[in-house]
Amino acid sequence: MTEFEDVYRECFDDVYRYIRRLSGDENIAEEITSETFFRAMRSIRGFRGGCDIRVWLCQIAKNCYYTYLKKSKKTEYVDNAQLSELPSEESTIEEQCMKHEEAAQVRAILHQIPETYKEVFMWRVFAELSFKQIGQIFGKSENWACVAYHRAKTMIRSRMEDKTDEK
């Protein structure tokens, strides 16, 4: 087995889950994940090991997804993403509607917060990356990533509360 096959086996699910949550579509996730590994295979020699291989692959996946959106003439990068877990069969219709409304609010608010905070939040929520991995993406410390994530959450929570107060 080649080294790249090992990387593929170890990282495929992480990349797929990241794109699945980002796109909200299984077919798109499969297509983008395949494209990601194709591109990674072509450029693996250029990988310097400055970050975790999963971080590198997720960056490629994100770029592939954005390219896909541009080619598809879609302009909403985050709006198709599912921020909440899929509802369980036991949840009521009311609970499902509430979760859907909250997820829609979070998606709308994500477009309003500064790009860095949005990116950190997305890496943490969608890709489930550690703060260390997020810090590596930005060339910052693990602590910086943690603080940025919590600031993003605070901004989102505050804006959600503001919207609730308006009602």
Side-chain angles (χ1 to χ4, degrees):
M1 189 175 326
T2 67
E3 196 173 316
F4 190 79
E5 287 173 334
D6 292 338
V7 169
Y8 179 85
R9 288 176 194 230
E10 288 177 27
C11 301
F12 179 87
D13 288 339
D14 293 331
V15 173
Y16 173 81
R17 277 194 316 268
Y18 172 66
I19 294 299
R20 171 72 172 93
R21 295 197 69 188
L22 192 61
S23 70
D25 186 291
E26 290 178 15
N27 295 323
I28 292 171
E30 289 173 4
E31 182 179 331
I32 299 301
T33 303
S34 295
E35 177 67 17
T36 298
F37 281 96
F38 176 73
R39 288 185 185 184
M41 185 174 61
R42 288 189 340 213
S43 60
I44 191 73
R45 286 177 175 57
F47 177 66
R48 304 268 186 256
C51 64
D52 184 89
I53 190 86
R54 282 177 179 79
V55 172
W56 181 68
L57 289 167
C58 284
Q59 287 177 316
I60 294 171
K62 182 179 82 166
N63 292 335
C64 288
Y65 178 60
Y66 287 165
T67 300
Y68 166 83
L69 289 175
K70 287 177 187 174
K71 286 181 181 177
S72 300
K73 297 184 181 176
K74 294 183 181 180
T75 58
E76 299 178 51
Y77 297 134
V78 180
D79 287 340
N80 293 327
Q82 297 296 320
L83 295 177
S84 61
E85 295 295 322
L86 295 173
S88 69
E89 293 177 20
E90 300 170 4
S91 48
T92 66
I93 297 295
E94 293 83 13
E95 288 172 339
Q96 291 177 21
C97 288
M98 291 294 289
K99 285 182 181 179
H100 182 71
E101 283 180 33
E102 287 177 5
Q105 284 179 341
V106 170
R107 286 192 299 270
I109 291 168
L110 274 173
H111 288 293
Q112 299 169 5
I113 67 175
E115 191 68 25
T116 300
Y117 294 114
K118 178 171 70 172
E119 286 284 319
V120 169
F121 184 85
M122 289 172 53
W123 282 117
R124 183 71 176 169
V125 173
F126 295 142
E128 301 174 358
L129 295 182
S130 70
F131 292 122
K132 181 177 182 179
Q133 292 169 319
I134 295 169
Q136 289 174 341
I137 290 171
F138 289 92
K140 306 275 186 176
S141 70
E142 181 176 351
N143 187 53
W144 174 90
C146 183
V147 169
Y149 173 74
H150 288 288
R151 285 181 182 165
K153 272 182 39 179
T154 300
M155 287 179 210
I156 292 167
R157 189 175 295 125
S158 172
R159 291 179 189 199
M160 286 183 75
E161 289 170 357
D162 290 346
K163 288 184 186 255
T164 303
D165 291 342
E166 291 173 5
K167 291 182 181 180

